[in-house]
Amino acid sequence: MHVSGASDESGGLVDGARGGRPEALASLYRAHGAALYRLAYRLTGTREDAEDVLHDVFVGLPEALARYEERGNLAGWLKRVTARVALGRVRSRKRRGEVPLELAGPGSEPLADPDGIALQVAVNQLPNRLRDVIVLKEIEGYSHREVADLLGISVVASRVRAHRGLARLRQLLEDGR
Amino acid sequence: MTDTSLDALRRALRDLAAPAPSPELLERILQSRATGVRVNLPRSERRVAGWLWGALAAAAALALVISTRDSGRAPPDTGSAYSDIAAMPFWPPDALAQDARPPRAPRYAPVRIEARRAQAGTWVYQNCTVFDEVLTPCRGRPTTTVSTITVTNATWHGRPTWLVSQRQARERVGSPGDTMRTPLDTAYFERETLRPIYAALGGDRFRLERSFTGDTVHEALDIGGAHPRSWRRAAQIPAAPDAPLVLQWAGVDLTLLLQTLPLEGGWHGSVYTVRLVGADPSRPPFIPLDLRVVGSGHIEVPAGRFDCWKVESREARSMVTLWVSKDRGWLVKTNTRGTDWRAESVLLVATPPAP
C-alpha cells in the first residue's frame, strides 16, 4: 500500500523529504505537525518538551524516512515515531515529584475550561507507566496491541494499566472536588 | 468534573484540548537542518538473544583492552600526574566516537545577564559516577573526587575582572597521600559581560592557553615530554561581542554565569561554550549550551537545604539537570544520565556560607 489519502501527493512529499528538500519537509510539517505536537504534549506534559520532541522528529525525518517502506499509513508511522521519541524523553527525565511549571501557573489557553484543566492535571499526576497507556489508548485511540508494541509491554499489561489508570483518574478527580 | 463515570471520563479524555506548536518551530527545524543538525530517530525495538548480548559485551571488552594497552607512546620520564594526558593521541576521534559536523544553531535567544549579581566565593563539590546503579566512587568505593571552584576579584591590565579557578582532586579513601590533582584551571572574565579575557591550564609538561580579543579566540596548546607537540590556532567567535561565553575543559563551569541569570518559571536562553580550537578537529570549537527552567523544588545537600530552580542544560548530545538556588544563583547539584550510568555532583561547602 502506498501512502494513504492523496497518495501521489504524499508520496512526492515523502520522496522530497527523504532527499532533504526543505519545502517537502515544511509541507509534511504543515500536514502532520499539529497532531504530532498534541501527541508529544500529552506524553511529555509540557510545551517545551513537546516542541523539542517535534523538533527532533522533523530534523531526523529525512534520514528516518529511508526506513519507511510506505506499506502503511504515513500519519500512523509518524505518530509511532513521535511517541517513541516522546516516551524516550520522559523516561530519561524521570520526574522526581516536581509539578511541571506549565501546570502550576496560568497561560494554558486551550485548557481554559476548568474541567479540562482538572483532567489535564489529573493525567499529569498519574505515574508514567499508567499515564503513557492512558494517553495512547484513551486519548490517541491506539489499540492495546499497538500500545503494547510502543511501550514494550504485553497486551495484558496494557489492559491492566489502562484499567488502573482510569480508576486512579476517577479517584484524583473526585478527591479534587 | 461532575460526572466521573467511566464513559464520561473516556469522552472527556478524547476531547481533552492541547495547545498548538509555536509559529517559529518550523523555522527552527529548517534552520537546524540547514546548519547540519541530524537526529537519529529510534527504530522499532527488536528482541536480541541473550547470547548475542554476551558476545557483544565480550567483543567490546576485548576492544577496550586492546585499545588501552601501552603502545609505547608514553614518554619514559613522565612522572607527573598528567602522564596519561601527555601520552594520548590528542584526541582519538574513534575512541571518543565523535563525528566531525558543523555546529548547530542555539535553540533559544542569547542569555541576558545581570552582572551585578555575581559574587566572589568558593564552592566545593563532590562528584560521583554510578554505573548500573552499582559502581560508584563516592559511596563505599575506594576513591572520591572533589572539585573546588573559586571566584575572586582581580584586575587584568587595570581592568576589573573576575578570576575563576578550578581544580579537581581524586583521593583514595584511607590513603590521604595518594591523591591525583588536575592542573589548576584559571580564567579571567570581564565583569560586565562575563566574557573570558584569558584562560590557562596546566604546567611545564602540559599547558593550554586561550586569549580572547574582540571576536577571536587564540589557542596555544603545548605538550612536553619525550614527544613534544604544539598547536597554535585561532577561531572566530560566533556569539555577539558582548555576549558571555562559557569555557570548557574537563567540564563546563557555570558557577559565575548562573549567579547572573534572571531565572524564573519558563525562562530559557542559550550561551556558547568554547572548546579546543585546534587540537580536536572532531568537534566544533563552539557549541551552544541551551538552558531552560523546567521546575523547582527544595534540594538537600551537605552544604544545606536550598530552594532551587531545576534547569535543563543541553549541549550537543548530552543533557544535564542543574539545581540552582533561587536566592543567589548557586549551583547546588547537577545530574547527568547516560544509558547505563549517571553522574552526580553535589555542593559540599560554600564560602560565604549558605544562608
Side-chain angles (χ1 to χ4, degrees):
Chain A
M1 176 183 159
H2 206 265
V3 180
S4 66
S7 57
D8 289 341
E9 189 182 345
S10 297
L13 287 181
V14 168
D15 288 340
R18 202 179 269 145
R21 288 216 309 273
E23 63 275 19
L25 198 61
S27 296
L28 282 178
Y29 176 90
R30 290 188 195 100
H32 302 282
L36 299 179
Y37 179 81
R38 284 196 296 274
L39 171 62
Y41 174 80
R42 284 162 175 158
L43 284 171
T44 61
T46 74
R47 294 174 200 221
E48 294 273 7
D49 280 339
E51 293 215 349
D52 283 350
V53 167
L54 210 58
H55 172 273
D56 287 355
V57 166
F58 275 91
V59 169
L61 198 54
E63 287 73 30
L65 279 171
R67 305 195 297 265
Y68 173 60
E69 296 169 350
E70 303 186 11
R71 284 201 297 253
N73 179 293
L74 176 64
W77 181 81
L78 284 170
K79 276 195 162 188
R80 284 194 296 279
V81 171
T82 304
R84 286 202 172 94
V85 174
L87 289 168
R89 188 173 179 82
V90 171
R91 281 175 193 149
S92 70
R93 289 189 48 205
K94 288 205 174 183
R95 295 194 189 99
R96 297 184 177 179
E98 310 99 40
V99 177
L101 286 168
E102 184 137 338
L103 299 172
S108 304
E109 312 84 35
L111 305 178
D113 153 41
D115 283 350
I117 292 175
L119 184 56
Q120 183 67 63
V121 170
V123 169
N124 277 281
Q125 286 179 314
L126 290 175
N128 284 346
R129 60 193 181 82
L130 301 184
R131 173 195 154 107
D132 294 345
V133 174
I134 290 295
V135 169
L136 293 171
K137 175 70 179 72
E138 301 296 343
I139 300 180
E140 293 295 329
Y142 283 100
S143 69
H144 281 299
R145 163 56 61 194
E146 290 169 319
V147 173
D149 285 346
L150 276 170
L151 297 179
I153 59 177
S154 68
V155 173
V156 173
S158 174
R159 288 183 191 281
V160 170
R161 290 185 193 184
H163 177 76
R164 288 181 182 165
L166 287 170
R168 184 76 68 88
L169 272 182
R170 287 175 74 175
Q171 187 186 352
L172 287 167
L173 290 168
E174 285 168 3
D175 290 349
R177 280 180 191 171
Chain B
M1 286 179 67
T2 49
D3 182 1
T4 55
S5 68
L6 213 51
D7 284 344
L9 193 53
R10 283 190 160 124
R11 274 198 306 275
L13 283 168
R14 280 195 295 274
D15 295 340
L16 197 56
S22 61
E24 62 269 19
L25 180 57
L26 175 59
E27 190 182 340
R28 186 152 68 89
I29 290 167
L30 296 178
Q31 192 179 11
S32 293
R33 286 285 310 178
T35 53
V37 177
R38 299 293 182 265
V39 175
N40 284 325
L41 295 176
R43 295 162 181 260
S44 300
E45 290 183 8
R46 290 195 171 91
R47 305 280 181 209
V48 179
W51 66 266
L52 185 54
W53 283 118
L56 287 171
L62 183 63
L64 186 65
V65 168
I66 291 170
S67 67
T68 54
R69 277 195 318 178
D70 181 8
S71 59
R73 277 193 297 263
D77 60 342
T78 48
S80 76
Y82 321 120
S83 55
D84 53 339
I85 297 174
M88 280 182 74
F90 212 85
W91 299 91
D94 50 343
L96 296 177
Q98 300 292 348
D99 305 321
R101 57 177 66 193
R104 67 171 176 81
R107 280 172 186 260
Y108 310 121
V111 298
R112 296 282 175 207
I113 64 167
E114 295 172 9
R116 292 189 315 276
R117 296 170 57 173
Q119 289 187 334
T122 299
W123 293 265
V124 182
Y125 297 90
Q126 185 177 48
N127 311 317
C128 120
T129 306
V130 181
F131 294 95
D132 290 330
E133 298 298 327
V134 176
L135 297 175
T136 162
C138 62
R139 289 175 196 158
R141 300 299 294 182
T143 58
T144 180
T145 305
V146 171
S147 300
T148 302
I149 297 166
T150 304
V151 177
T152 53
N153 292 300
T155 57
W156 177 266
H157 296 291
R159 292 146 67 187
T161 59
W162 290 116
L163 173 59
V164 181
S165 62
Q166 175 175 194
R167 168 166 271 168
Q168 282 192 1
R170 185 176 302 160
E171 186 172 284
R172 192 173 294 277
V173 173
S175 307
D178 188 4
T179 301
M180 174 187 163
R181 288 189 172 81
T182 61
L184 189 65
D185 187 352
T186 305
Y188 289 84
F189 290 85
E190 295 271 11
R191 280 281 182 88
E192 292 305 313
T193 60
L194 297 192
R195 187 93 161 183
I197 302 169
Y198 172 81
L201 168 77
D204 294 339
R205 295 180 185 279
F206 166 81
R207 186 162 183 83
L208 170 67
E209 290 184 63
R210 288 178 281 184
S211 57
F212 297 77
T213 53
D215 63 351
T216 307
V217 53
H218 298 269
E219 179 185 277
L221 175 61
D222 297 296
I223 296 177
H227 304 276
R229 281 159 286 174
S230 293
W231 286 262
R232 296 287 183 276
R233 290 288 174 89
Q236 191 167 11
I237 300 168
D242 59 346
L245 290 173
V246 175
L247 293 178
Q248 188 176 153
W249 172 241
V252 179
D253 175 25
L254 297 171
T255 309
L256 199 52
L257 179 72
L258 289 174
Q259 290 189 54
T260 65
L261 296 180
L263 301 182
E264 59 180 5
W267 179 92
H268 50 71
S270 293
V271 60
Y272 274 98
T273 64
V274 187
R275 301 187 71 259
L276 292 174
V277 173
D280 179 9
S282 65
R283 298 181 73 187
F286 306 98
I287 299 177
L289 188 71
D290 302 314
L291 301 163
R292 71 181 174 109
V293 173
V294 295
S296 66
H298 287 85
I299 289 291
E300 187 123 17
V301 294
R305 182 176 163 83
F306 295 86
D307 187 12
C308 292
W309 292 114
K310 184 183 179 185
V311 180
E312 183 186 278
S313 163
R314 281 175 166 232
E315 184 252 338
R317 282 173 283 182
S318 66
M319 191 176 80
V320 182
T321 303
L322 315 170
W323 293 90
V324 184
S325 75
K326 288 183 178 176
D327 54 354
R328 299 190 190 184
W330 285 4
L331 183 57
V332 171
K333 180 179 172 181
T334 66
N335 204 325
T336 313
R337 188 172 284 274
T339 51
D340 60 350
W341 60 272
R342 64 184 169 84
E344 187 179 281
S345 173
V346 295
L347 184 61
L348 282 182
V349 62
T351 309

